[in-house]
């Protein structure tokens, strides 16, 4: 299923790019609108123009990839988000981890990066004995683990809710008792959750990409 979505997205973007015009058509306008949204809302506001230009290919690719994999869960015939199994969220989170650590080391050096992440200025030095291990654990493990769990949990829970209400609708409809009168309400809930799942798919792509940009900004900032 992941390969199907990947091939479909690559073919779609290649076709749009090969047929791009100065005056865009409808599909090209939609793609450009998404590009501008990610570039202006996430990249430029978080990283600025210089660093934003450097990391834009990664962040735009990440947003499109997560969005398409998330939306697979509401596509008839697929019905399973590519991010609802832990391997893909974990891989994306580790990509984020390697990127912001590499960017921080490139900017500050190894010791300078560790110091900038774990020893913020203006704090009494005894507090560092408690703060340094916590901040180091956050950089090394908590950030990428939280990214993985957040994306995975949201996509799994949405899929489970849809399955539960569709199953409930089916069971009530064929119960042969007065409970079948409740089935339209259960079906309406399933449709509502289906629409909400589309919103969650886009929201989680936005949050994951935004947090990646924030972590890169924290790693490359002079002081924070």
């Amino acid at each position: 299923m992941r390969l199907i979505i990947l091939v479909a997205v690559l073919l779609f973007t290649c076709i749009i790019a090969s047929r791009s015009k100065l005056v865009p058509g409808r599909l090209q306008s939609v793609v450009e609108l998404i590009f501008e949204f990610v570039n202006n809302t996430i990249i430029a506001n978080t990283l600025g123009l210089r660093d934003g230009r450097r990391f834009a290919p990664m962040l735009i690719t990440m947003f499109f990839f997560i969005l398409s994999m998330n939306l697979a869960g509401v596509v008839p015939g697929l019905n399973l988000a590519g991010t609802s199994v832990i391997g893909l969220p974990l891989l994306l989170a580790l990509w984020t981890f390697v990127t912001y650590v590499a960017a921080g080391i490139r900017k500050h050096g190894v010791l300078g990066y560790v110091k900038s992440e774990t020893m913020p200025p203006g704090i009494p030095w005894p507090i560092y004995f408690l703060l340094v291990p916590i901040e180091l654990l956050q950089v090394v493990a908590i950030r990428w683990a939280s990214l993985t769990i957040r994306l995975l949990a949201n996509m799994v829970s949405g899929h489970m809710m849809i399955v539960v209400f569709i199953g409930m609708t089916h069971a009530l409809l064929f119960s042969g008792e007065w409970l079948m009168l409740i089935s339209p309400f259960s079906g309406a809930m399933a449709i509502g959750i289906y629409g909400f799942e589309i919103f969650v798919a886009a929201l989680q792509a936005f949050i994951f990409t935004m947090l990646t940009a924030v972590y890169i900004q924290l790693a490359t900032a002079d002081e924070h």
Side-chain angles (χ1 to χ4, degrees):
M1 189 276 296
R2 289 169 175 167
L3 291 176
I4 291 172
I5 294 297
L6 181 60
V7 170
V9 171
L10 288 175
L11 287 176
F12 174 76
T13 52
C14 287
I15 291 172
I16 293 296
S18 64
R19 298 180 179 180
S20 61
K21 300 177 181 178
L22 184 61
V23 179
R26 292 182 180 178
L27 286 178
Q28 184 181 339
S29 297
V30 172
V31 173
E32 290 182 357
L33 184 64
I34 298 175
F35 267 74
E36 290 177 2
F37 171 77
V38 177
N39 190 58
N40 296 332
T41 306
I42 298 177
I43 300 173
N45 287 342
T46 306
L47 295 172
L49 295 178
R50 186 185 64 181
D51 288 337
R53 189 178 299 109
R54 182 155 60 103
F55 292 102
M58 170 197 175
L59 295 171
I60 293 175
T61 300
M62 180 176 287
F63 181 86
F64 266 89
F65 185 68
I66 296 175
L67 178 62
S68 60
M69 288 295 173
N70 288 352
L71 289 175
V74 295
V75 174
L78 296 178
N79 301 115
L80 183 64
T83 48
S84 62
V85 180
I86 194 170
L88 191 55
L90 178 60
L91 181 63
L92 291 166
L94 292 176
W95 184 19
T96 298
F97 169 71
V98 171
T99 300
Y100 73 71
V101 169
I105 292 175
R106 181 178 179 182
K107 177 70 176 290
H108 304 289
V110 176
L111 295 179
Y113 171 64
V114 173
K115 181 180 177 181
S116 68
E117 287 280 16
T118 60
M119 302 178 68
I123 297 178
W125 69 266
I127 303 298
Y128 286 127
F129 289 104
L130 177 64
L131 187 62
V132 169
I134 295 175
E135 292 294 329
L136 187 61
L137 180 63
Q138 178 178 240
V139 172
V140 173
I142 293 177
R143 287 180 181 174
W144 62 262
S146 64
L147 284 174
T148 303
I149 295 170
R150 180 185 295 107
L151 181 57
L152 176 67
N154 276 280
M155 301 319 299
V156 170
S157 61
H159 183 70
M160 290 178 64
M161 290 175 66
I162 292 176
V163 170
V164 166
F165 278 96
I166 290 177
M168 185 185 300
T169 303
H170 183 273
L172 292 173
L173 186 61
F174 293 97
S175 63
E177 301 178 359
W178 65 269
L179 290 173
M180 65 187 302
L181 299 175
I182 309 175
S183 61
F185 299 100
S186 178
M189 287 293 295
I191 295 173
I193 294 173
Y194 188 89
F196 183 70
E197 184 70 2
I198 297 175
F199 169 74
V200 171
L203 180 63
Q204 290 306 312
F206 173 81
I207 291 175
F208 198 104
T209 309
M210 173 63 80
L211 288 175
T212 299
V214 169
Y215 294 155
I216 294 172
Q217 192 276 331
L218 291 173
T220 56
D222 292 327
E223 288 187 3
H224 56 268

